[in-house]
Amino acid sequence: MDTLYTNEKCMDNFNDSATFFQLRIGMWIDGEFSWIEMSEKEHHIQNCVQYKSFAFQDEHKSCLIDGHRISLENLNNRSKEIKLYVQYEQTKPLAKLAYYRPKDHLLSYHIEEGLVFINGKIDEKGIKQYTVTSADQINEERHLWGNIRKGALKYQPLASRNIVSAFTLESFLLPYEHTFADIWNIKAINEENGVNANRKLIKNRLEFSFER
């Protein structure tokens, strides 16, 4: 009973702090970057890639999961290199430490209530580039690109104060090709539950419910 109470208490705390991240998403295409609007309406980037997104939420063994599925379609008769840029900023300074976990290929935030794991997938590929740094390093355009023309992030694997993180999901879209990208964050009271939920998402994202 004590364990159950503790788990429920932690999950209540997670619900109370559900908005401590601000999610911003952008799209890099052929050397140009633009922030995108997350909505179910169809939008276009550079008149060549069409996108729309759907939110999803779920619970899995004392974990709260929030994420988005993004539909991407190349409207052009030429292949397009795309890099989905995903940035998480803290609205409250709850995380004491954040870093990239090579073993699980995800970003990990340590907060008082437990852990937050951040990850994503496009086609069958996970995070390609990542950076974890202080918000002081964000430039006037509010992003963490080191070289936009090359589509290269500033490399920084760990931060311990005023944390902001970003990663990319990268792919080549053939002419008129359509694909999906998924991004998610997992709030877990312990490492084992969080890692298991992340593996479940990677294995079969369709099991998780989408808000329409």
Side-chain angles (χ1 to χ4, degrees):
M1 291 298 294
D2 290 341
T3 301
L4 177 61
Y5 174 79
T6 301
N7 289 354
E8 290 178 347
K9 188 69 174 177
C10 287
M11 299 313 285
D12 287 343
N13 290 340
F14 275 142
N15 279 315
D16 292 340
S17 61
T19 59
F20 65 74
F21 280 126
Q22 178 186 6
L23 171 64
R24 303 190 73 196
I25 298 179
M27 190 89 69
W28 181 98
I29 304 174
D30 294 341
E32 296 185 16
F33 174 73
S34 303
W35 292 108
I36 67 175
E37 178 183 350
M38 299 295 287
S39 76
E40 295 185 17
K41 294 181 180 179
E42 293 180 346
H43 297 273
H44 295 80
I45 296 288
Q46 300 176 20
N47 294 318
C48 62
V49 174
Q50 175 177 282
Y51 74 91
K52 58 183 176 180
S53 69
F54 306 95
F56 65 90
Q57 294 183 321
D58 217 310
E59 294 187 16
H60 176 71
K61 294 184 179 179
S62 300
C63 297
L64 295 178
I65 301 167
D66 291 284
H68 289 82
R69 164 161 287 190
I70 303 168
S71 169
L72 299 163
E73 183 177 1
N74 184 1
L75 304 177
N76 204 284
N77 60 5
R78 296 181 179 179
S79 297
K80 292 291 179 181
E81 181 183 10
I82 64 168
K83 300 183 181 186
L84 193 66
Y85 173 92
V86 182
Q87 179 170 299
Y88 280 89
E89 298 179 40
Q90 292 186 98
T91 58
K92 302 175 183 177
L94 298 181
K96 301 177 180 179
L97 178 68
Y99 55 90
Y100 180 75
R101 290 170 57 112
K103 179 181 178 180
D104 300 300
H105 308 289
L106 54 76
L107 297 174
S108 176
Y109 279 71
H110 288 240
I111 62 176
E112 185 174 346
E113 294 87 352
L115 298 163
V116 179
F117 290 157
I118 295 173
N119 208 348
K121 188 175 182 181
I122 186 169
D123 302 327
E124 294 303 315
K125 297 170 290 188
I127 292 175
K128 180 69 174 180
Q129 301 181 67
Y130 58 87
T131 186
V132 186
T133 187
S134 166
D136 300 339
Q137 301 300 312
I138 297 180
N139 58 26
E140 294 180 357
E141 288 76 30
R142 303 295 298 172
H143 61 65
L144 294 171
W145 288 111
N147 187 317
I148 286 185
R149 185 179 62 82
K150 294 182 178 180
L153 290 181
K154 299 176 181 178
Y155 177 71
Q156 177 78 26
L158 179 148
S160 59
R161 65 177 184 85
N162 201 16
I163 302 167
V164 59
S165 64
F167 66 85
T168 65
L169 301 174
E170 303 183 13
S171 185
F172 278 90
L173 286 180
L174 298 175
Y176 308 110
E177 184 181 9
H178 175 265
T179 193
F180 291 98
D182 292 308
I183 58 173
W184 59 83
N185 70 77
I186 301 167
K187 303 175 183 70
I189 59 173
N190 61 53
E191 180 177 340
E192 181 180 2
N193 288 350
V195 168
N196 288 338
N198 180 68
R199 289 173 179 167
K200 183 179 177 68
L201 274 164
I202 292 173
K203 182 178 179 180
N204 190 354
R205 291 164 290 169
L206 296 179
E207 291 184 10
F208 291 80
S209 58
F210 288 80
E211 295 179 350
R212 298 287 194 160

